[in-house]
Amino acid sequence: MSTFRAIVFASVIAGFIVGLIVTVVQQFGTVPLILKAEGFEKAAEMHQHEAPATAQPAAAGHDPADHDHAAHDHGDHGAGDHDHGAGAWEPRDGFERNAYTAAANILTAIGFALLLAGFFAVRSGATGASVSWHEGLLWGLAGFAVFTLAPGLGLPPELPGVPVAPLLSRQIWWLAAVLATAGGLALIAFRRSVPAAIAGVILLTLPHLIGAPELANIETNVPSSLTHQFVTAVTVTSLVFWTLLGGLTSAVFARFDRGTNQRA
């Protein structure tokens, strides 16, 4: 029970701190790029809605004044239909949006911290020694490789307005890449034999040999330079997330675990 308490406390404390830090990092890295991409996406949607309206009066030979009025009415109505048809609620820009982003980051960090703390508990129970912060840092880097680096090689982060392959096929490939990468790293790190290392390398490369699902033709008005900046920003942010989470979770877990063992 004391180990379970150490896992929970360490995960909540580390997840809360790391979630807040990553939220601040995102405000300077990924968020400005997402807002720029949303601007391109809305501009493309407005152009698509206005195109039929501008073509109709010209074909009918109407007066230019009627053309302007029809285009304006159709554009407003089309945008309203798009927003209503989407039916998706989204928080308002500013404090509300940032608050929901922070809450999502904190919950995500706590979830992954629970996973890490569980590994630390098993590891410390098997070796009889507390997990050090630099060992936790290595576990964090492994998490970065499993959940960000390996899947990102096939499915890089995409900005709003960039077409992507069907969701289900991407989810299946992403999950396969995560499991294969985790299994490959485990074989290399823990088995420490030539056959295990060969099997681990095969697992690491297998998802990429199969290939991630992608569209044949991608048409978007989002600049490729913006996409490259976004991929870099997301990767760096994820690296910060995992290194902080691994090191901090291990340090807090070791402190609580040592305290409970001393009291016992």
Side-chain angles (χ1 to χ4, degrees):
M1 193 65 184
S2 59
T3 302
F4 177 77
R5 189 181 299 112
I7 292 174
V8 174
F9 285 171
S11 302
V12 171
I13 294 173
F16 185 80
I17 295 173
V18 173
L20 288 181
I21 293 175
V22 168
T23 301
V24 175
V25 173
Q26 288 176 337
Q27 298 306 309
F28 298 96
T30 58
V31 171
L33 300 176
I34 292 174
L35 294 177
K36 288 182 181 179
E38 288 177 348
F40 284 105
E41 183 183 25
K42 292 176 182 177
E45 290 175 354
M46 291 179 62
H47 178 72
Q48 291 174 356
H49 289 311
E50 290 173 357
T54 56
Q56 265 186 348
H62 287 175
D63 183 82
D66 293 337
H67 166 77
D68 293 339
H69 179 70
H72 177 72
D73 287 347
H74 183 85
D76 290 346
H77 180 67
D81 283 350
H82 174 75
D83 293 339
H84 178 72
W89 174 89
E90 57 182 32
R92 292 187 295 269
D93 290 339
F95 174 78
E96 185 175 345
R97 185 169 186 169
N98 294 335
Y100 278 100
T101 299
N105 287 336
I106 290 172
L107 290 176
T108 301
I110 290 175
F112 281 121
L114 283 169
L115 187 63
L116 288 173
F119 286 131
F120 297 156
V122 173
R123 190 74 172 158
S124 98
T127 61
S130 297
V131 178
S132 60
W133 69 267
H134 56 270
E135 187 176 353
L137 184 63
L138 293 177
W139 280 87
L141 291 175
F144 169 73
V146 169
F147 291 101
T148 300
L149 191 59
L153 293 175
L155 293 175
E158 297 289 357
L159 283 165
V162 178
V164 293
L167 178 61
L168 180 59
S169 60
R170 287 187 289 122
Q171 288 178 330
I172 293 173
W173 188 90
W174 185 91
L175 182 59
V178 167
L179 294 177
T181 305
L185 290 178
L187 286 173
I188 295 173
F190 298 123
R191 300 293 295 180
R192 297 184 179 179
S193 66
V194 174
I198 294 174
V201 172
I202 292 174
L203 277 177
L204 290 175
T205 57
L206 185 60
H208 307 285
L209 293 176
I210 296 173
E214 57 183 15
L215 297 177
N217 297 317
I218 298 178
E219 296 182 2
T220 178
N221 64 337
V222 178
S224 59
S225 59
L226 192 65
T227 300
H228 295 155
Q229 292 176 30
F230 182 68
V231 171
T232 302
V234 170
T235 304
V236 172
T237 303
S238 181
L239 180 61
V240 171
F241 172 88
W242 280 106
T243 52
L244 287 177
L245 193 67
L248 192 57
T249 303
S250 61
V252 178
F253 173 80
R255 182 175 182 84
F256 277 103
D257 194 41
R258 183 169 57 250
T260 54
N261 288 336
Q262 288 177 351
R263 285 194 296 273

